[in-house]
Amino acid sequence: MSLPSPTADNRAVVTGASSGIGTALAAELAARGYSLILVARRAERLAELAQRLSLAHDVTVEVRPVDLSDRTQRGPLAEELATRDVAVLCNNAGVATFGTVAELDPSYERAQLELNAVAVHDLTLAVLPGMIAAGAGGILISGSAAGNMPIPNNATYAASKAFANTFCESLRGEVKGSGVHVTLLAPGPVRTEVPDPADASLVERVVPDFMWVSSQYTAKVSVDALVRNKMRVVPGLISKGMSAAGQYGPRALTAPVAGAFYKRLGG
Ligand SMILES: NC(=O)c1ccc[n+]([C@@H]2O[C@H](COP(=O)([O-])OP(=O)(O)OC[C@H]3O[C@@H](n4cnc5c(N)ncnc54)[C@H](OP(=O)(O)O)[C@@H]3O)[C@@H](O)[C@H]2O)c1
């Protein structure tokens, strides 16, 4: 079984489509013929991408400017998706904070958890019954290698991605044999934009060049993995190394090593 073929009515939904991996996932799916529903907060970026992809690939692209961390905005989107013919859902939107939770803004930490974990849960539950009834569909969840281990100075993000990773790989066991494909994208560093040294983020400056893979490559291997119903995709050799260390290394060792590195990012 593969993913449902693109039709005039069905849609691939991509959250976090206004930048980075989400933009690349939208482009990859459009190039494979899928009409899209693009979700993020920045309406102009979504509109611009929609125009570009519909012209380039002759697909229909709808945009939904929604703050997924806000339940009152997310609810209507989830209700709509439950009624639509969703062939593919890419739960990709996510944010990260660096520093100690005691010092970070509590309301932003709560919003991060809501976006990275609860929204993933809500949108997945919205589309799942339709996919199971159809006997086909694909759900890609952007977790992270950071979800494999405890990370001091990145606690809310690491814990929210632990939810994403575990939810995705658990769900996959539940839908086995239903025709629904479920794949976890769990990357290490993915370079989403070519950094200008003048205003590169601290992450861009601290993580050395050789550790990065591109968002286009990440999107391609992710969609390929979803088509093949692979359990987990970890793009790039460095990410694979980080992922293995996080998954199989003793936590008493990996937590302080990761924490010391992330402390620099929160500085
Ligand atoms: N890049 C990496 O190195 C890396 C590594 C591991 C995992 N990941 C995961 O991969 C995913 C994509 O990462 P990325 O690097 O491509 O991120 P990015 O370039 O920062 O893009 C994040 C996307 O999420 C959207 N978003 C943020 N807050 C939102 C909200 N409240 N409601 C709706 N949309 C929201 C943003 O759009 P708006 O601002 O327009 O809302 C944007 O489209 C994330 O889940 C991230 O945790 C990334």
Side-chain angles (χ1 to χ4, degrees), residues 21 25 140-145 183-191 210-223 225 230 232-243:
I21 298 169
L25 283 169
L140 179 77
I141 294 182
S142 296
S144 175
T183 295
L184 172 68
L185 164 62
V190 177
R191 179 155 271 158
F210 74 91
M211 292 185 75
W212 298 94
V213 295
S214 73
S215 43
Q216 290 75 15
Y217 173 76
T218 300
K220 186 194 175 306
V221 295
S222 297
V223 177
K230 298 242 321 182
R232 176 184 285 231
V233 56
V234 182
L237 271 180
I238 302 291
S239 289
K240 286 183 172 60
M242 283 174 59
S243 186

Side-chain angles (χ1 to χ4, degrees), residues 15-23 39-43 45-46 66-70 91-96 108 111 115-116 142-146 157 161 185-193 203 212-213 215:
T15 73
S18 62
S19 67
I21 298 169
T23 298
V39 184
R41 291 166 302 177
R42 284 170 291 177
R45 279 206 180 208
L46 293 182
V66 169
D67 183 342
L68 289 170
S69 68
D70 178 344
N91 267 309
N92 166 77
V95 293
Y108 193 75
L115 174 69
N116 294 2
S142 296
S144 175
Y157 181 75
K161 291 299 180 179
L185 164 62
V190 177
R191 179 155 271 158
T192 51
E193 275 166 25
V203 181
W212 298 94
V213 295
S215 43

